[in-house]
Amino acid sequence: MTPTEPTEPQGPQPAVEKPAVRQSPENLPPGKDVVAPSSTTEGGETTIEQPAVGVRTGMFGVPDTGDTSGYGGLVKPVVFPGAAQRPYGGWFDLVADGLDGLIEKVVIHRGEITFHVHRDHLLEVAGKLRDDPALRFEFCSGVSGVHYPEDTGRELHAVYHLLSMTFNRRIRLEVSCPDADPHIPSIVAAYPTSDWHERETFDFFGIIFDGHPALTRIQMPDDWPGHPQRKDYPLGGIPVEYKGGTIPPPDQRRSYN
Amino acid sequence: MGIEEKLPSGVLLTTVEGVAGYMRKASFWPATFGLACCAIEMMTTGGPKYDLARFGMEVFRASPRQADLMIVAGRVSQKMAPVLRQIYDQMPDPKFVLAMGVCASSGGMFNNYAIVQGVDHVVPVDMYLPGCPPRPEMLIDAILKLHDQVQHAKLGKNRLDEIVEAEATALNALPTSEMRGMLR
């Protein structure tokens, strides 16, 4: 199948690299707990920083003097990468053209492109990505869940990794849903391989994929209460005692954040 | 002295217990039951370098109905626990359990909601083997010590008395939580 644009280059193309400072929240100047939405102009291109959805302190270890990791004083805002502006460069624009009007936001982070899609448009986007001869994303290699407990209204995210074998392109789709209404349409009809992946994401995060043929737990026992990969799920564990010495369970010795 | 004096050459006398124990220990058939990284060491143990065939144990049976030793090689998740118990129940008596590695023995590094804190919550364990994972030499050592237990196991009423005595000893033993002194 020939692509719609005859001038389009074939085969693998180098990913579009952008300066790391502008793209990576890890490299923000210290002390910025909350970054207000603002337009900054760097290098002739305009990006919009997103507000922080939380603050992360420390690395491992107890919060006070018991921390032996050396990172106890670390304070880091949880900031999403800013939305990218056109032109995205390379084949990114071509894919974005095919999805025009269905995308909430496009993020280019470390040379990889992520399309944020509202859950109402997910089925349409998935259908286009698979069937449009200019896009041809034949393969969905997985559905991942992410839990951002402080991102109010968008607590649960489902991330789809798509591969176009024809053009050797990889993109991500990111869909969010609130914790109070954890419903996302299932894309099993378009990508049958996501059957078990959606079951796993449901099992671990509690996202309900509407339209899935048999949405049951796949990893945990059938009667398991709760969804273990959510941030607020307790790690469990028992205190270990031996000859008078007692060691508390790991989640009371360390903070896993 | 006794009847031994009257025996022709080439005849040995022993007890029924001794013969039964010898036969049991000399033909252990382990069940294929690998759960995690310890299973890699268990497979190595059955391979040519460490050669479990020296002890008549190279045949790992895929069916628990043909096995009499279950080597629990790896951490037992809460979901796996009923499966493990069913495999144990399907093994014919006499059957033995070897908890291989710290995870099977006590939960090990996985002190969390998903992992059973020691397989002895689910099945009776005859031999605990520490290590993470234990080397094949350690597994062979544990198996040989289990062989020794099996060789000297009693039969019939003596066996029942032995079980009662072992249980009474265990019930009266000082719990480790009340032990004091050096942590060793």
Side-chain angles (χ1 to χ4, degrees):
Chain A
M1 176 66 75
T2 50
T4 50
E5 294 186 14
T7 58
E8 183 202 353
Q10 294 286 319
Q13 297 158 30
V16 179
E17 287 295 339
K18 302 233 170 182
V21 171
R22 185 163 42 80
Q23 297 290 337
S24 305
E26 295 92 325
N27 296 323
L28 283 176
K32 282 194 177 178
D33 286 354
V34 175
V35 183
S38 63
S39 293
T40 55
T41 305
E42 291 175 32
E45 290 183 44
T46 306
T47 58
I48 300 172
E49 292 294 347
Q50 297 296 112
V53 294
V55 179
R56 192 174 159 175
T57 55
M59 193 67 106
F60 300 107
V62 288
D64 50 14
T65 55
D67 182 13
T68 55
S69 70
Y71 288 94
L74 191 69
V75 179
K76 207 169 76 167
V78 179
V79 189
F80 295 130
Q85 306 295 311
R86 290 218 186 229
Y88 306 135
W91 53 266
F92 289 173
D93 284 298
L94 199 85
V95 178
D97 289 342
L99 303 174
D100 230 3
L102 301 170
I103 303 298
E104 280 183 328
K105 186 173 74 169
V106 176
V107 171
I108 300 174
H109 186 53
R110 303 193 173 199
E112 299 173 359
I113 191 163
T114 305
F115 294 95
H116 288 255
V117 185
H118 192 273
R119 54 182 173 175
D120 295 344
H121 298 313
L122 177 63
L123 288 182
E124 199 179 342
V125 168
K128 276 197 173 188
L129 284 173
R130 191 191 66 172
D131 296 334
D132 190 334
L135 302 175
R136 288 196 159 265
F137 285 89
E138 298 100 344
F139 179 53
C140 174
S141 62
V143 183
S144 311
V146 199
H147 186 210
Y148 296 103
E150 290 160 327
D151 192 5
T152 312
R154 300 164 54 88
E155 285 92 350
L156 295 164
H157 291 216
V159 185
Y160 303 79
H161 308 264
L162 300 178
L163 165 67
S164 165
M165 295 184 202
T166 308
F167 300 116
N168 194 10
R169 294 166 177 166
R170 290 175 190 272
I171 62 169
R172 271 190 296 267
L173 295 182
E174 193 160 341
V175 186
S176 70
C177 62
D179 200 0
D181 178 32
H183 289 266
I184 287 178
S186 166
I187 62 162
V188 172
Y191 293 101
T193 184
S194 60
D195 185 335
W196 285 13
H197 294 289
E198 288 184 355
R199 283 176 63 188
E200 186 178 5
T201 310
F202 160 72
D203 192 352
F204 284 149
F205 291 91
I207 300 174
I208 298 166
F209 291 91
D210 296 320
H212 190 283
L215 194 66
T216 52
R217 287 189 183 273
I218 189 171
Q219 302 275 20
M220 305 304 291
D222 291 338
D223 53 352
W224 193 264
H227 300 285
Q229 291 282 13
R230 290 193 181 202
K231 296 279 186 192
D232 49 4
Y233 192 90
L235 183 64
I238 52 169
V240 178
E241 57 183 33
Y242 186 66
K243 292 193 179 179
T246 302
I247 298 174
D251 57 343
Q252 293 171 27
R253 284 184 281 133
R254 293 175 172 176
S255 57
Y256 290 94
N257 49 17
Chain B
M1 292 280 257
I3 189 172
E4 293 96 333
E5 300 289 328
K6 306 273 194 302
L7 285 175
S9 67
V11 174
L12 289 175
L13 290 183
T14 180
T15 59
V16 176
E17 277 177 355
V19 173
Y22 181 74
M23 296 302 169
R24 282 177 180 172
K25 82 146 197 187
S27 121
F28 256 20
W29 286 31
T32 303
F33 197 59
L35 292 171
C37 35
C38 281
I40 304 296
E41 300 294 310
M42 187 174 72
M43 286 183 263
T44 312
T45 314
K49 180 163 183 181
Y50 295 97
D51 199 7
L52 214 47
R54 289 177 290 165
F55 312 106
M57 288 180 64
E58 76 275 22
V59 186
F60 280 77
R61 303 311 295 189
S63 166
R65 297 183 196 286
Q66 298 169 345
D68 47 14
L69 170 65
M70 182 163 72
I71 302 177
V72 184
R75 76 284 179 281
V76 184
S77 65
Q78 305 273 3
K79 191 173 180 179
M80 201 65 191
V83 182
L84 183 141
R85 179 70 209 195
Q86 184 168 9
I87 287 176
Y88 178 79
D89 288 341
Q90 286 172 343
M91 286 163 55
D93 273 331
K95 51 192 171 184
F96 308 94
V97 178
L98 198 159
M100 180 179 177
V102 283
C103 300
S105 302
S106 73
M109 63 188 284
F110 300 107
N111 190 359
N112 60 32
Y113 61 85
I115 301 296
V116 175
Q117 299 298 301
V119 73
D120 47 7
H121 288 268
V122 187
V123 292
V125 176
D126 296 283
M127 186 65 69
Y128 296 90
L129 170 59
C132 185
R135 296 277 306 153
E137 295 93 334
M138 296 172 68
L139 179 59
I140 291 174
D141 181 56
I143 287 171
L144 292 182
K145 288 198 164 86
L146 186 61
H147 278 185
D148 193 55
Q149 272 189 20
V150 173
Q151 165 80 72
H152 297 107
K154 295 184 166 62
L155 289 180
K157 182 177 184 307
N158 291 342
R159 175 65 185 152
L160 296 177
D161 291 346
E162 195 181 46
I163 291 173
V164 169
E165 188 192 334
E167 187 167 1
T169 311
L171 285 174
N172 293 326
L174 185 68
T176 47
S177 58
E178 290 174 14
M179 291 180 189
R180 292 294 176 267
M182 299 284 284
L183 295 182
R184 59 181 176 172

